[in-house]
Amino acid sequence: DTLGSFVYVPCEVIKQRMQVQGTRKYWSSFVLKDKPGMQMYGYYSGMFRAGSSILKEQGLKGLYAGYWSTLARDVPFAGLMVTFYEALKDLTEYGMKTWMSSSGYHANSSLEGLLLGGLAGGFSAYLTTPLDVVKTRLQIQGSTLRYNGCLDAVHKIWSTEGIGGMFRGSIPRVTWYVPASALTFMAVEFLRDHFNEALNDDKLQEVANLSIDKKGSSLQEVS
C-alpha cells in the first residue's frame, strides 16, 4: 500500500476532481459558499490537463493531497478485511462441524471465498468510510484550503455534520467493495486449491518413484 500509493494517489486526486466538476457550464457556476466569486480550481478538460494544472498551481503537494489519509484508510481496510474473512471462515467451519458433521457435506472453497469474502469486504468498507470521507475531502479541496490536514478535517466534519457526515457515501462504498472482495477471495481460494492439488500430485509422484527405485534395488540384491 505504501509503495503503490505513490502511483495511486495522484491518479485518485485527478479522478476525484474531474468527477466533482461535472460539465464546464456547471463548474463555471459553482462558487465557494464562504468565498463568493471564487472557485476551488479551474475546469479540467482532460486527465493530462488536470495533472499539469494541479502540478503547476500546487506542485507535488497538490498531486499527493491526501497521501497519508489514503494510507490511513487502506492499511486498516486491508487488515480488517483479512481478519473478518478468517474469522468468518473459522465460524463457518465450526458451524459445519457442530450441525452438519454427520451429513458429510463439504463446502466448495471457491464458493466459500465468494460469500465470505463479500461479507468481509462489506464490513471493512463500512467501518473505514470515515477515513475515506476525510481522504476525499482533502483531495478535492484544491489550493483554497478548507481543511488543514487529517485531524482538522475530522474535527470540522464531526462538528458541522456529525456522525452522518463521517459515514456519508457508506452505502455506495459497501456496494462497490462487496463484489470486488467476493471475486478476489474466490480467485484466491480457487488458485490455492489448484496449487495444493498440484503439490499433492507431485508428492505422490515422488513417493511412487521412490518405491519403484527401492523395489528395483531389492531385486538386484536378490539376483
Side-chain angles (χ1 to χ4, degrees), residues 3 36 56 59 81 87 90 106 120 131 150 158 201 209 211 216 221-222:
L3 295 175
K56 182 180 179 181
M81 184 168 61
D90 291 342
H106 178 70
L131 302 173
C150 297
W158 181 269
D201 290 342
N209 292 337
S211 300
E221 290 176 1
V222 172

Side-chain angles (χ1 to χ4, degrees), residues 53-68:
S53 297
I54 295 170
L55 187 61
K56 182 180 179 181
E57 294 172 8
Q58 299 176 256
L60 286 174
K61 185 179 180 181
L63 281 175
Y64 283 92
Y67 176 81
W68 295 111

Side-chain angles (χ1 to χ4, degrees), residues 11-167:
C11 296
E12 183 72 0
V13 169
I14 292 170
K15 182 201 74 160
Q16 297 278 8
R17 294 195 185 186
M18 292 184 71
Q19 287 179 337
V20 166
Q21 287 187 329
T23 63
R24 185 184 295 272
K25 182 178 180 181
Y26 166 78
W27 189 247
S28 63
S29 65
F30 178 83
V31 294
L32 296 173
K33 291 182 180 179
D34 52 348
K35 294 183 180 180
M38 288 187 62
Q39 288 183 313
M40 287 191 287
Y41 34 82
Y43 185 79
Y44 304 134
S45 57
M47 182 179 69
F48 294 107
R49 174 68 182 276
S52 60
S53 297
I54 295 170
L55 187 61
K56 182 180 179 181
E57 294 172 8
Q58 299 176 256
L60 286 174
K61 185 179 180 181
L63 281 175
Y64 283 92
Y67 176 81
W68 295 111
S69 59
T70 300
L71 289 182
R73 177 200 65 175
D74 291 347
V75 172
F77 171 78
L80 284 171
M81 184 168 61
V82 173
T83 301
F84 277 131
Y85 181 69
E86 293 299 330
L88 288 169
K89 278 189 71 175
D90 291 342
L91 186 62
T92 302
E93 185 178 353
Y94 173 78
M96 291 183 66
K97 286 182 178 179
T98 304
W99 293 293
M100 301 179 66
S101 58
S102 59
S103 65
Y105 175 77
H106 178 70
N108 181 273
S109 297
S110 298
L111 181 60
E112 188 179 65
L114 182 72
L115 297 176
L116 301 185
L119 289 174
F123 291 150
S124 304
Y126 181 77
L127 291 176
T128 54
T129 296
L131 302 173
D132 187 54
V133 170
V134 170
K135 176 203 73 81
T136 302
R137 299 282 182 95
L138 289 172
Q139 288 180 335
I140 66 171
Q141 65 180 346
S143 57
T144 307
L145 297 181
R146 183 181 178 188
Y147 306 112
N148 188 23
C150 297
L151 295 178
D152 183 58
V154 171
H155 173 72
K156 288 181 178 177
I157 295 170
W158 181 269
S159 59
T160 57
E161 303 174 50
I163 193 170
M166 298 299 296
F167 281 90

